[in-house]
Amino acid sequence: KNNVKVGEDVTLESLRAEYDAVLVAVGAWKSTGIGCEGDKLEGVLGGIDMLREVNLGGRPNLGKNVAVVGGGNVAMDACRTAVRLGAENVYVIYRRTRAEAPAEDLEIEEALEEGVTFKWLTNPAEIIGENGKVTKIKLQVMELGEPDASGRRSPVPVEGKFEILDVDTVISAIGQRCALEGFEALTQTRKGTIEANENNGATNLEGVFAAGDATNRGPSIAVRAIGEANDAAAAIDAYLQGKALIKAEPFYSKRKPEDIDFLAQSAFFGGKGEQTPVVAFDSQDLRKLLADFPSSASILSGNGDDGVHPSAPLFFEMYIIIQINLVFVNTFAQIFSKIGGRIMPFVRKESV
């Protein structure tokens, strides 16, 4: 059902009463706040909210000067979108260096090419406004300290060192969180996500399952959400049949190796088309194979319907490869022979 919101139009309990199983896959569509003084002023936007508005056809007026807080791909999308919306000065505020930024380096490079200014090692200390509207952002200058739990060096403030930028809009792109209004009955993690069994998506409520960015670890890549939904679908099917909720074995795409003797399958070599084990042949076999080749004249005269031997393409392909290899061998032999066989000992210089 479209245009139906849980918590307003329906309740989770009413859905449980109407359906035998419920899957909650509400995602993480709320931007994380900046968390500094002034982050509720008019002109402070969420990156996800701004990008959604633009993708739905909206054209928000961001003003001439825009600051984007964050160093991930959402921040790159936001800053480059701001450029396209007409902003003259677009800044990316990130508390670490470019090397630690989680955004794809290509995204950063293209943002730079489009005129975005990166303020590395800075962090919002305060958003300043007049009459309730953003006018400036005060940045705390940072430096890198010891590595944190993720392995990245933790940024620490440089005492007493600040920078102030004139801005019309501040866009927060430092993370996403879940909007779980209407789902309060579900147990949540400390991150504010739904606590769900990682094997099958089961929650604390009978018959209610959850999957995707709204669960456990929170926002991630699309394929993880798709995989969780696939596991949840299998679990729901088992639940409806009264079976145990066991995680399905992961599927891996496997290539089945086959040994095919293409020479034996070729009519040119008298093959009958059967697959036979591949047998490596030595130099004697190769000489015999070349000796058995029909002449180019007999191939061209051929016995096919069009007057060309059916195996002519194969013959000429192999012939060209052999000729190319011979050219390389002869060339290198001449080069190395002039340096006394110091690199290729089998090319010897005759004593005089």
Side-chain angles (χ1 to χ4, degrees), residues 12-13 16 22 24 183-187 195 201-209 239:
L12 180 58
E13 280 306 309
R16 293 182 69 197
V22 176
V24 180
F183 296 95
E184 290 83 2
L186 296 174
T187 300
E195 188 175 284
T203 68
N204 61 299
L205 297 181
E206 178 74 19
V208 178
F209 299 78
Y239 171 76

Side-chain angles (χ1 to χ4, degrees), residues 66-122:
V66 176
V68 178
V69 181
N73 287 325
V74 172
M76 298 306 103
D77 289 343
C79 72
R80 298 177 69 187
T81 299
V83 171
R84 285 158 176 73
L85 290 173
E88 296 177 5
N89 301 299
V90 179
Y91 306 95
V92 169
I93 314 301
Y94 185 58
R95 59 183 183 159
R96 291 182 168 94
T97 68
R98 176 172 177 171
E100 286 81 30
E104 296 289 339
D105 197 64
L106 177 62
E107 293 280 350
I108 297 174
E109 195 62 38
E110 291 184 346
L112 286 167
E113 290 176 2
E114 293 176 7
V116 175
T117 300
F118 284 80
K119 308 294 288 185
W120 305 114
L121 289 170
T122 60

Side-chain angles (χ1 to χ4, degrees), residues 5-64:
K5 187 173 182 179
V6 175
E8 293 183 6
D9 305 302
V10 296
T11 65
L12 180 58
E13 280 306 309
S14 68
L15 292 175
R16 293 182 69 197
E18 185 177 355
Y19 299 97
D20 297 317
V22 176
L23 174 64
V24 180
V26 294
W29 293 98
K30 282 185 103 171
S31 295
T32 303
I34 295 174
C36 68
E37 185 179 346
D39 69 349
K40 298 295 190 292
L41 288 169
E42 181 185 347
V44 179
L45 309 176
I48 293 294
D49 304 319
M50 187 272 282
L51 293 171
R52 183 191 304 115
E53 181 181 352
V54 172
N55 276 285
L56 291 175
R59 293 296 179 266
N61 181 11
L62 304 179
K64 292 183 178 180

Side-chain angles (χ1 to χ4, degrees), residues 250-255:
F251 174 79
Y252 298 102
S253 177
K254 296 181 180 179
R255 181 177 297 174

